């Protein structure tokens, strides 16, 4: 069990007797905790050199009724979408990682309103689990300059760093969740691995964008916008992706994720 109070992710306070140990499982199972971020630890996106006001939010924490029910793990997740900042790159294939973060932000009500470690971030929760959403503003090839410091500052373990990125080896709109893997010659992934001490043992969420047609240059393809048909496929996948991320954060890599990957693999091959 991760002890929230020991992490700079937040300080934990709650009324006396409002939360009971799993050893005493006959007590009330759900209580609301107030999670308050340390003063001066976050910065306003409008003026990143000055400290912002203290930020706080509440999440609901579950304690099992009996020994047969699972205990929720409260270790925070860092969910990072890879992309390039600026209107020039908005809507391009290489920026679908940013789009997934935006979709999660809207659906979970997490405001992306803070600049920290060269990234636009949002602090909130998915269900009972604290999450940090991030869109590095370093440009794709230097994404690790944000991911490494954020993971270290909030003490997020590798198993809870989810990287969302575009993947040319998958058909357009096809999604894939993996607990770990290589870099697949993706420059953003390579840079992140380098800033995580060379470790590849962190989860990935690949969003298929298809491969360049004919002899088209890969860079030109990545910076190209989707066709109307492709755009519809990607939009539908973003909706599916939000639910997949929610399932992963709340349940981990279990059979639900495997079923999700199988369904994605064949979703455009149905008769």
């Amino acid at each position: 069990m991760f002890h929230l109070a020991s992490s700079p992710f937040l300080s934990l306070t709650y009324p006396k007797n409002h939360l009971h140990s799993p050893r005493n499982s006959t007590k009330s199972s759900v209580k609301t905790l107030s999670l308050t971020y340390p003063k001066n630890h976050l910065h306003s996106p409008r003026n990143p050199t000055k400290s912002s006001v203290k930020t706080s939010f509440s999440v609901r924490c579950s304690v099992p009724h009996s020994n047969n029910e699972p205990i929720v793990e409260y270790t925070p997740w860092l969910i990072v979408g890879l992309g390039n900042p600026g209107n020039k790159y908005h809507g391009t294939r290489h920026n679908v990682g940013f789009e997934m973060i935006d979709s999660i932000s809207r659906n979970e009500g997490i405001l992306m309103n803070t600049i920290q470690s060269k990234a636009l971030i949002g602090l909130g929760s998915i269900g009972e689990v604290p999450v940090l959403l991030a869109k590095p503003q370093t440009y794709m090839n230097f994404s690790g300059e944000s991911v490494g410091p954020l993971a270290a500052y909030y003490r997020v373990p590798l198993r809870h760093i989810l990287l969302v990125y575009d993947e040319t080896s998958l058909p357009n709109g096809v999604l894939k969740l993996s607990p770990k893997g290589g870099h697949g010659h993706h420059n953003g992934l390579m840079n992140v691995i380098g800033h995580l001490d060379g470790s590849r043992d962190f989860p990935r969420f690949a969003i298929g964008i298809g491969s360049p047609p004919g002899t088209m240059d890969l860079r030109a393809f990545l910076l190209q916008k989707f066709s109307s048909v492709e755009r519809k496929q990607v939009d539908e996948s973003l909706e599916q992706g939000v639910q997949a991320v929610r399932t992963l954060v709340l349940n981990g890599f279990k059979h639900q994720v495997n079923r999700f990957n199988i369904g994605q693999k064949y979703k455009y091959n149905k008769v």
Side-chain angles (χ1 to χ4, degrees), residues 10-180:
L10 39 84
S11 61
L12 177 59
T13 59
Y14 53 89
K16 188 177 181 180
N17 298 328
H18 268 210
L19 190 64
H20 301 275
S21 167
R23 293 180 181 177
N24 191 353
S25 57
T26 61
K27 302 293 184 179
S28 176
S29 65
V30 181
K31 296 299 177 185
T32 299
L33 305 182
S34 174
L35 308 179
T36 305
Y37 290 89
K39 192 174 183 179
N40 300 331
H41 275 198
L42 301 178
H43 303 284
S44 167
R46 293 184 179 179
N47 193 346
T49 63
K50 294 186 177 180
S51 300
S52 66
V53 296
K54 181 183 278 190
T55 305
S56 64
F57 65 96
S58 295
V59 298
R60 295 183 64 79
C61 300
S62 301
V63 177
H65 284 288
S66 67
N67 293 332
N68 294 326
E69 295 184 20
I71 298 174
V72 175
E73 184 181 14
Y74 301 113
T75 309
W77 280 78
L78 170 59
I79 306 174
V80 184
L82 300 188
N84 291 307
N87 292 333
K88 175 181 177 181
Y89 302 101
H90 181 73
T92 61
R93 300 176 190 276
H94 218 22
N95 268 38
V96 290
F98 274 14
E99 292 192 44
M100 182 64 79
I101 295 299
D102 290 337
S103 294
I104 297 171
S105 170
R106 286 192 300 271
N107 280 270
E108 299 297 335
I110 301 174
L111 296 179
M112 303 292 292
N113 60 358
T114 302
I115 293 292
Q116 185 179 357
S117 300
K118 303 179 183 178
L120 177 62
I121 69 170
L123 299 161
S125 64
I126 292 179
E128 301 94 355
V129 183
V131 297
L132 169 66
L133 303 180
K135 295 164 63 176
Q137 303 297 291
T138 57
Y139 289 95
M140 177 71 76
N141 294 353
F142 303 98
S143 301
E145 294 180 9
S146 291
V147 179
L150 286 172
Y153 182 83
Y154 292 105
R155 298 183 187 177
V156 181
L158 282 172
R159 71 180 185 279
H160 278 190
I161 301 174
L162 178 63
L163 217 64
V164 188
Y165 62 96
D166 56 288
E167 178 57 71
T168 58
S169 67
L170 292 174
N172 189 74
V174 172
L175 307 174
K176 183 178 181 181
L177 276 166
S178 307
K180 60 182 179 179

Side-chain angles (χ1 to χ4, degrees), residues 223-242:
L223 299 182
Q224 181 186 66
K225 294 193 175 184
F226 297 98
S227 68
S228 58
V229 173
E230 291 171 331
R231 181 73 258 177
K232 182 178 180 181
Q233 291 174 336
V234 169
D235 288 343
E236 291 175 352
S237 292
L238 293 175
E239 294 179 10
Q240 297 166 359
V242 170

